[in-house]
Amino acid sequence: QVQLAESGGGVVQAGGSLRLSCAASGSEYFSSFTTGWFRQAPGKEREFVAGITRGGSVTVYTDSVKGRFTISRDNAKNTVSLQMNNLKPEDTAVYFCVADAATSAAGLQKIGPAQVDYWGQGTQVTVSS
């Protein structure tokens, strides 16, 4: 079992930045999990945002955040982060940290949310115009 806890959400004006963090616990094998972020806006389906491979060498992003968001991980500290710059009102959503034992970062983008092994509780990000 892996427990994931997000932090760092909040309210920011358009063009601003936020950094989300996710702390993992419950497993000494955090480095064996692909990790990433999904988000869910009001009235919309949950969608993939970014993924990172077990070793952190490969990252994948959905097109709408490329060039603005950066995912990273620190396996020594069991954490994964999402730096979000130049935020837009359409980025407003609840952001979820995820971990999966079986898929790759690219696979995390392709599989449906129901297939992902572990989820955090989510953190709200609100971008005002």
Side-chain angles (χ1 to χ4, degrees):
Q1 283 287 343
V2 176
Q3 289 81 46
L4 303 170
E6 304 94 337
S7 61
V11 180
V12 64
Q13 288 189 332
S17 299
L18 282 175
R19 184 177 180 85
L20 304 183
S21 296
C22 175
S25 61
S27 173
E28 61 186 275
Y29 304 111
F30 177 70
S31 61
S32 66
F33 292 88
T34 292
T35 58
W37 294 87
F38 279 67
R39 67 186 179 186
Q40 186 167 21
K44 295 188 177 181
E45 294 185 351
R46 202 165 288 191
E47 64 172 355
F48 171 86
V49 176
I52 188 166
T53 51
R54 295 166 177 82
S57 61
V58 177
T59 56
V60 179
Y61 300 92
T62 192
D63 286 346
S64 64
V65 308
K66 285 180 181 177
R68 301 187 297 121
F69 290 12
T70 303
I71 188 172
S72 60
R73 67 187 293 167
D74 185 338
N75 286 337
K77 296 181 178 179
N78 285 5
T79 59
V80 59
S81 299
L82 185 68
Q83 178 66 42
M84 305 185 295
N85 298 328
N86 190 22
L87 283 159
K88 303 177 180 180
E90 52 262 43
D91 295 317
T92 295
V94 178
Y95 283 71
F96 297 91
C97 176
V98 302
D100 194 273
T103 193
S104 63
L108 198 61
Q109 185 174 25
K110 297 175 182 177
I111 65 175
Q115 306 301 318
V116 177
D117 290 336
Y118 301 104
W119 292 79
Q121 292 298 309
T123 186
Q124 177 70 47
V125 172
T126 301
V127 185
S128 61
S129 57

